[in-house]
Amino acid sequence: LKVTNDLYGTEDFEQVAYRLHKTQTPTDGYNFEMRLRTKENPASLNAAINYTSDFKVGLLLNYTHRNLFVPGYRLQVDVVASESPVAKVQYHSVLGRKWLPAGEVAYYRYKQPIYVEGNRFSEYVFQNFYVRGNMQTNLTANSLVGGGLEYQRTDLFGDAFDLFALDKSYYNMLNAKFFYRFSNQRNQYFATKGMSFSGQLYASADMAETFFKNPYLIYKLEFQQDFTLSSTWALRYILRSGSSLNRILTAPNTFYIGSYGLNYTANVQPFLGYQRMELLANGGLHSATAEVHYKLFPKHYLKAIGNVGASVQQIDFENLSMATQYIDGFGAGYAFDSPVGP
């Protein structure tokens, strides 16, 4: 039954059915037969209007085409049309245990405020482009493991650079990444049951230096678990950890902390109680989040969220002195699962 639910959850099939056939030879038992009916229309388009204090109003678009060109492969296109535009294209296999190639291209650009004691002081433009090639395999319908190489180009410029008479900064990075992801969560907007885990380990080297000379070694981990408390109440907790394993991080690999995610910075860590990327940590961040969900009525949900954490920052470069800052925050939200998207 678990395999049946997992396959149906991929949304690649209109029907997932099974039968048990009793056998008597060579021993008494059962044969398990599964029948799958693929969707007649393999393409889908989803849209939503989103507003956050970080990115203002944005039109979110997702186009997914299943079994395009190669059986089992999926093309996904994500676009955010706003003052902070995003475009991402992925092509990868979603079923099967074979090691298969996958590709991804993404671009994003947004104006990032600079905060002094919580107040907006200036801003700069953070622009990023990357091309990624992976070899990956689906261990199950819910899990993915793989690794590959990524070229990353990051540009920093804008008012803050003009204010301090600084030249534009740009970085050409070559990253070697290894990852594992698992999720059987049924609903992102109302915690019913299930869990998810994602882990990433990568080496990041500046291409201006000798090829992969003294690269940054970075890990990121995230674990989520859902609990149903009643027909209208549910609980989700999230544990996150990310840090450098060998040396102090510099741009663009610094950990940026604040807000509730929703951006594509390489090492952004969501954290309520602070503005987007208000805090910088060149040593890492470790945090715990708890969310209480309430179903107001079907497809309408309320959330109360609290988080605590510790950010690590190097304050003395000569003596390698580190400082740990303990942080906390809370927030609330409303979600509507509309006919055209969340």
Side-chain angles (χ1 to χ4, degrees), residues 280-293:
L280 303 181
N282 56 20
L285 173 74
H286 315 283
S287 67
T289 301
E291 300 183 2
V292 177
H293 298 183

Side-chain angles (χ1 to χ4, degrees), residues 141-155:
N142 294 320
S143 63
L144 178 70
V145 63
L149 291 176
E150 171 188 278
Y151 165 72
Q152 173 187 346
R153 164 76 184 220
T154 301
D155 293 89

Side-chain angles (χ1 to χ4, degrees), residues 62-134:
N62 169 266
Y63 174 78
T64 300
H65 198 297
R66 298 167 177 84
N67 298 314
L68 181 65
F69 303 129
V70 179
Y73 265 75
R74 179 178 295 178
L75 173 71
Q76 291 181 284
V77 180
D78 295 293
V79 174
V80 179
S82 73
E83 66 177 23
S84 301
V86 175
K88 182 166 68 171
V89 179
Q90 303 175 77
Y91 185 65
H92 57 91
S93 174
V94 295
L95 293 174
R97 295 191 175 187
K98 294 181 179 180
W99 285 89
L100 297 170
E104 182 175 332
V105 179
Y107 167 85
Y108 56 86
R109 171 190 173 116
Y110 54 85
K111 294 181 179 180
Q112 171 57 35
I114 296 177
Y115 300 94
V116 177
E117 297 182 352
N119 297 315
R120 182 169 175 161
F121 173 70
S122 184
E123 66 178 21
Y124 63 92
V125 175
F126 193 112
Q127 179 174 277
N128 197 78
F129 169 81
Y130 68 79
V131 179
R132 180 183 302 163
N134 292 332

Side-chain angles (χ1 to χ4, degrees), residues 110 220 240 254-258 261-270 276-277 285:
Y110 54 85
K220 290 190 291 186
R240 294 185 177 95
T254 305
F255 278 86
Y256 301 92
I257 303 167
L262 301 178
N263 66 53
Y264 291 77
T265 310
N267 287 335
V268 65
Q269 291 279 37
R276 180 192 71 197
M277 295 170 62
L285 173 74

Side-chain angles (χ1 to χ4, degrees), residues 81-300:
S82 73
E83 66 177 23
S84 301
V86 175
K88 182 166 68 171
V89 179
Q90 303 175 77
Y91 185 65
H92 57 91
S93 174
V94 295
L95 293 174
R97 295 191 175 187
K98 294 181 179 180
W99 285 89
L100 297 170
E104 182 175 332
V105 179
Y107 167 85
Y108 56 86
R109 171 190 173 116
Y110 54 85
K111 294 181 179 180
Q112 171 57 35
I114 296 177
Y115 300 94
V116 177
E117 297 182 352
N119 297 315
R120 182 169 175 161
F121 173 70
S122 184
E123 66 178 21
Y124 63 92
V125 175
F126 193 112
Q127 179 174 277
N128 197 78
F129 169 81
Y130 68 79
V131 179
R132 180 183 302 163
N134 292 332
M135 290 296 294
Q136 58 191 47
T137 179
N138 298 90
L139 298 178
T140 68
N142 294 320
S143 63
L144 178 70
V145 63
L149 291 176
E150 171 188 278
Y151 165 72
Q152 173 187 346
R153 164 76 184 220
T154 301
D155 293 89
L156 307 176
F157 56 92
D159 295 346
F161 287 79
D162 297 334
L163 180 64
F164 296 104
L166 299 175
D167 295 332
K168 295 180 181 179
S169 296
Y170 65 90
Y171 306 88
N172 290 301
M173 311 296 293
L174 183 63
N175 306 321
K177 297 191 174 186
F178 303 92
F179 58 86
Y180 172 79
R181 295 194 292 268
F182 169 85
S183 177
N184 61 6
Q185 289 173 301
R186 299 304 182 194
N187 191 327
Q188 284 295 317
Y189 304 98
F190 183 76
T192 53
K193 62 179 181 179
M195 57 177 285
S196 69
F197 173 80
S198 65
Q200 186 177 111
L201 174 67
Y202 66 97
S204 180
D206 193 329
M207 296 180 66
E209 300 180 7
T210 304
F211 185 74
F212 261 84
K213 178 183 179 181
N214 193 24
Y216 299 97
L217 297 178
I218 304 166
Y219 80 85
K220 290 190 291 186
L221 301 173
E222 179 177 307
F223 177 80
Q224 299 188 24
Q225 189 163 14
D226 295 346
F227 299 93
T228 300
L229 305 179
S230 70
S231 60
T232 56
W233 290 93
L235 173 68
R236 170 178 296 153
Y237 74 86
I238 307 170
L239 304 176
R240 294 185 177 95
S241 178
S243 181
S244 169
L245 293 174
N246 65 332
R247 62 191 182 107
I248 295 303
L249 300 173
T250 58
N253 288 313
T254 305
F255 278 86
Y256 301 92
I257 303 167
S259 188
Y260 202 55
L262 301 178
N263 66 53
Y264 291 77
T265 310
N267 287 335
V268 65
Q269 291 279 37
F271 199 92
L272 289 183
Y274 293 86
Q275 301 287 346
R276 180 192 71 197
M277 295 170 62
E278 179 178 345
L279 301 179
L280 303 181
N282 56 20
L285 173 74
H286 315 283
S287 67
T289 301
E291 300 183 2
V292 177
H293 298 183
Y294 176 72
K295 184 186 292 185
L296 197 59
F297 34 88
K299 297 188 177 182
H300 294 263

